[in-house]
Amino acid sequence: INDGEGHPSSSHQPLKGTSKWATSLENLLEDPEGVKRFREFLKKEFSEENVLFWLACEEFKKTQGKKQMQEKAKEIYMTFLSSKASSQVNVEGQSRLSETILETPHPLMFQKLQDQIFNLMKYDSYSRFLKSDIFLNHKKSEEQEETSPEAQTAAKRASRIYNT
């Protein structure tokens, strides 16, 4: 059964918002609103640099051209990996890159470090985020929107249309 626009009208709607975020860190990071809320949470935990580094690496993988890659690689290095970095991420010492690798960048040069930071977020901050006020309040406001009189009215109108 489809609604008037060809979308399934069953209760098997795709997950969205906080419901989707709660299924995996990957789903959270695919949603701009999820990233925004997660950053807000990490900022309070003084570890926002982790998600910023992860996002910078994702962006870096899409970079075209050697010159642009060199510039972005240096920016990532100076911001997150250098001993003088303003937003230094906590990666294992032997995983750190030397500055010389910046001369010959490639799309996956930060992958190992990015994976470390992803796992750190996944097994540490992500579970705390799901219990945080930021997440729970956002979830509550989503649920209130779904049960608002306007939403109920639209659902009643739809059911009248299909039950005639």
Side-chain angles (χ1 to χ4, degrees), residues 9 15 52 79 81 89 152 155:
S9 62
L15 293 175
L52 294 176
T79 306
L81 300 170
V89 290
Q152 288 176 344

Side-chain angles (χ1 to χ4, degrees), residues 47-140:
S47 59
E48 183 187 22
E49 68 279 356
N50 290 336
V51 75
L52 294 176
F53 173 72
W54 188 89
L55 291 167
C57 290
E58 285 300 290
E59 197 57 39
F60 177 75
K61 290 176 194 174
K62 301 173 195 164
T63 305
Q64 302 291 312
K66 187 178 178 190
K67 184 135 180 70
Q68 288 88 337
M69 284 186 97
Q70 282 176 323
E71 287 169 10
K72 268 201 171 155
K74 186 174 170 105
E75 186 181 321
I76 289 172
Y77 181 83
M78 297 311 283
T79 306
F80 301 106
L81 300 170
S82 155
S83 57
K84 301 178 196 95
S86 55
S87 299
Q88 192 176 42
V89 290
N90 187 9
V91 290
E92 292 173 23
Q94 75 269 21
S95 299
R96 288 207 173 273
L97 300 174
S98 71
E99 232 169 311
T100 55
I101 196 170
L102 301 176
E103 297 307 311
T104 54
H106 59 87
L108 300 178
M109 67 187 282
F110 296 116
Q111 190 64 53
K112 188 176 176 188
L113 301 174
Q114 185 185 16
D115 290 345
Q116 268 188 44
I117 293 299
F118 179 84
N119 286 327
L120 180 69
M121 291 189 298
K122 183 175 183 171
Y123 297 110
D124 186 38
S125 22
Y126 175 63
S127 56
R128 285 196 307 279
F129 170 71
L130 295 178
K131 296 173 191 149
S132 73
D133 287 345
I134 292 171
F135 176 80
L136 296 173
N137 290 339
H138 192 72
K139 183 177 181 177
K140 192 186 295 181

Side-chain angles (χ1 to χ4, degrees), residues 137-149 151:
N137 290 339
H138 192 72
K139 183 177 181 177
K140 192 186 295 181
S141 69
E142 272 182 358
E143 288 165 355
Q144 286 169 346
E145 282 175 25
E146 287 172 12
T147 58
S148 70

Side-chain angles (χ1 to χ4, degrees), residues 5-69:
E5 295 168 18
H7 303 291
S9 62
S10 73
S11 60
H12 297 294
Q13 294 293 322
L15 293 175
K16 38 183 199 229
T18 54
S19 301
K20 192 169 183 181
W21 305 348
T23 60
S24 72
L25 179 57
E26 291 88 340
N27 285 339
L28 171 71
L29 294 172
E30 286 173 2
D31 183 339
E33 183 65 23
V35 169
K36 180 181 165 189
R37 300 295 173 171
F38 193 46
R39 279 185 64 184
E40 195 179 320
F41 169 75
L42 291 176
K43 199 177 279 188
K44 288 183 174 186
E45 289 213 333
F46 304 101
S47 59
E48 183 187 22
E49 68 279 356
N50 290 336
V51 75
L52 294 176
F53 173 72
W54 188 89
L55 291 167
C57 290
E58 285 300 290
E59 197 57 39
F60 177 75
K61 290 176 194 174
K62 301 173 195 164
T63 305
Q64 302 291 312
K66 187 178 178 190
K67 184 135 180 70
Q68 288 88 337
M69 284 186 97

